[in-house]
Amino acid sequence: MVRFLVVAAVIIGIAILLKVVTKSLKWVVRFVVNAVLGVGLLYLLNYLPFVHVTLNFWCVLLTGIFGLPAALVIFIVSFFI
């Protein structure tokens, strides 16, 4: 009976660990994709003659967390700085 409980606890522990790892991996992949798309958009917008957006850590962080809307906000705010 004790052996059954140990095996059940190990199986439940592995299931919980796999769920946490896949959720965190999904979040990391989504963050990286958002960051690449956002910084790519800001990089392309820098080719416009009247735009200069500095690409730094904070821009990458904001676009990674909030996606393309953050890139557009950074673009709009760059006119006022």
Side-chain angles (χ1 to χ4, degrees):
M1 183 68 172
V2 174
R3 186 175 184 176
F4 173 75
L5 291 175
V6 169
V7 170
V10 168
I11 290 173
I12 290 172
I14 289 173
I16 290 172
L17 182 66
L18 286 175
K19 185 147 182 109
V20 168
V21 168
T22 57
K23 279 199 177 263
S24 63
L25 183 63
K26 182 179 176 183
W27 186 84
V28 168
V29 168
R30 192 168 86 201
F31 177 83
V32 169
V33 167
N34 280 342
V36 167
L37 289 176
V39 170
L41 176 67
L42 291 175
Y43 182 77
L44 290 175
L45 288 173
N46 272 332
Y47 281 111
L48 295 175
F50 54 88
V51 177
H52 178 70
V53 178
T54 305
L55 298 176
N56 55 25
F57 171 76
W58 298 110
C59 292
V60 174
L61 184 67
L62 286 175
T63 58
I65 293 172
F66 298 112
L68 291 178
L72 295 176
V73 168
I74 292 169
F75 172 67
I76 291 169
V77 168
S78 71
F79 287 115
F80 299 109
I81 295 178

